[in-house]
Amino acid sequence: MLPDKQDAFGHEINDYFINKSGFEIIERNDGFFTVGLGPSFYFLEHHEWQESEKEAIKYATGSVLDIGCGAGRHALYLQEQGLDVLGVDVSPLALEVCRKRGLKKTRTLSITQLDRKLGIFDTILMLGNNFCLVGNVKRARWLLNKFHRMTRDSALIIAQTRDPYPTTVQEHLAYHALNRKAGKMSGETRIRVRYKKHVTPWIDFLMVSKDEMKGLLEGTRWEVKKLLEDGHSLYIAILGKRGQ
Amino acid sequence: MLPDKQDAFGHEINDYFINKSGFEIIERNDGFFTVGLGPSFYFLEHHEWQESEKEAIKYATGSVLDIGCGAGRHALYLQEQGLDVLGVDVSPLALEVCRKRGLKKTRTLSITQLDRKLGIFDTILMLGNNFCLVGNVKRARWLLNKFHRMTRDSALIIAQTRDPYPTTVQEHLAYHALNRKAGKMSGETRIRVRYKKHVTPWIDFLMVSKDEMKGLLEGTRWEVKKLLEDGHSLYIAILGKRGQ
């Protein structure tokens, strides 16, 4: 269980839920600081979503596992549509907000703690860039194989991520280069979120290009069924089981 | 001269000048992080200023020293009005932006480096909360006595600061209490600004209530001539020489 001191996500979400204001500070392990889209972004209503998100959510069916559900915007929308949604998140306070907003099924779990005991799903939702939570290639394949056993044959993973390459920010390009020098993928990024005195543990965040996504899926039993573009660098991959 | 690595203010201001976007992260020495108003705030035009700022700027006359001039919004306005304005700031890059925006006289100096060699002034401008840069009571009195020698008899200091007490933020109240326990004023705050990989040195930032401002001026040859309220907790004190 994440200690309250580390629940920066939960506190930014809870404060926004109460006061309709807030911020999200992102620290990278090379000392680069920036400001994230949250928390207002995590509360956007369906009509305010990116077009690609609206398109992607249509692929959700049946029993849905929303990984990193945050303030619950996707989970709540699908629950309203009559789907059976389980929202999981590492943040106890974010899940408390989800429940206050009406989400019926929640579990406080990190992505690595998910297993078959949670049920068998038709859809795994990794929107809001949550496919980045796979962390690195090795862990991504381990997780994808686990997800394979937690899902029906016709299941889909709705996976949003970011292509790290279309950037001109010098600090990002330098970070990519250091990663490659260390034998990592360019888009392997270690970050933590700060909010007031709260700071999350370091999070391994993997950004991949569309080609790298395909490479990552080699050696798993998933393949890209469809790509939905988000413009500049964001995109959503609809993953299905090979041979389905 | 501030090294580029420490010129977080300059970089946020310069990036905003070029791209019209940016952010400002403020770190307090107790591990509290928040997001500041800058950099867009530093570029506001006269018609966008707070009413109290518009009122306060009318007190500026003659030869003006703008301490911590930032992107130059106050200095440029007064220069356009025909006043003789010297903008000083610790950030070389901020001053470069000021010059690109048309400010004629700039000097890269911290508040403690100011002295009579810069000239004799009619007005000292410390808007944008820059009166907080006095740091602590002892340094404030030392600076105010120095400013006394750098100014004409009829000179005014236009000093904006914040009353620290009207807050319900628990972390701020706890910080105040620790300060008092250490024999400091409640509003003595040590902060630094982060922007991308740039981080300023720690800055001693003193917030005072209106009563504390009067106490601070005891033992100096300045007194409050007028108070302009900014609402909630910000206010501007027009300080003049005793007996004038």
Side-chain angles (χ1 to χ4, degrees), chain A residues 30-31 33 194 196-197, chain B residues 23 30-31 33 194 196-197:
Chain A
D30 64 340
F33 279 71
R194 289 184 173 274
K196 296 181 174 175
K197 288 180 87 166
Chain B
F23 58 87
D30 63 341
F33 279 71
R194 288 184 173 275
K196 294 181 173 176
K197 288 180 85 166

Side-chain angles (χ1 to χ4, degrees), chain A residues 107-167:
Chain A
R107 290 288 300 274
T108 313
L109 292 167
S110 78
I111 192 167
T112 58
Q113 292 172 313
L114 303 173
D115 67 30
R116 217 185 147 106
K117 280 179 243 159
L118 293 174
I120 300 298
F121 297 94
D122 297 294
T123 308
I124 291 185
L125 215 59
M126 302 176 85
L127 286 173
N129 275 9
N130 281 348
F131 189 74
C132 296
L133 296 173
V134 296
N136 58 53
V137 179
K138 194 180 161 195
R139 198 170 87 170
R141 287 177 177 156
W142 172 70
L143 286 168
L144 288 165
N145 284 328
K146 206 149 79 147
F147 295 167
H148 201 274
R149 296 190 294 275
M150 293 169 59
T151 47
R152 295 205 172 79
D153 288 347
S154 58
L156 297 175
I157 301 175
I158 302 173
Q160 190 175 33
T161 185
R162 179 184 290 279
D163 181 349
Y165 299 103
T167 180

Side-chain angles (χ1 to χ4, degrees), chain A residues 21-23 27-28 35 43 48 62 65-66 83 94 112 123 153 177 206 214 220 224-225:
Chain A
S21 77
F23 58 86
E27 175 182 3
R28 196 168 60 192
V35 169
F43 285 86
E48 301 167 302
L65 177 65
D66 185 359
L83 278 68
T112 58
T123 308
D153 288 347
L206 176 65
K214 278 169 195 163
T220 77
V224 176
K225 300 288 188 187

Side-chain angles (χ1 to χ4, degrees), chain B residues 22-93:
Chain B
F23 58 87
E24 177 181 277
I25 292 170
I26 297 170
E27 176 182 2
R28 195 168 60 193
N29 67 339
D30 63 341
F32 183 92
F33 279 71
T34 190
V35 169
L37 289 173
S40 60
F41 190 76
Y42 306 142
F43 285 86
L44 293 183
E45 299 287 338
H46 182 264
H47 69 273
E48 300 167 303
W49 298 357
Q50 298 148 307
E51 285 309 311
S52 58
E53 273 184 296
K54 290 186 202 169
E55 191 57 35
I57 204 89
K58 294 179 190 166
Y59 288 86
T61 59
S63 176
V64 179
L65 177 65
D66 185 358
I67 299 177
C69 63
R73 63 188 174 114
H74 301 116
L76 285 162
Y77 171 79
L78 291 177
Q79 185 179 276
E80 277 160 34
Q81 306 293 308
L83 278 67
D84 178 28
V85 187
L86 171 61
V88 298
D89 204 287
V90 73
S91 163
L93 196 46

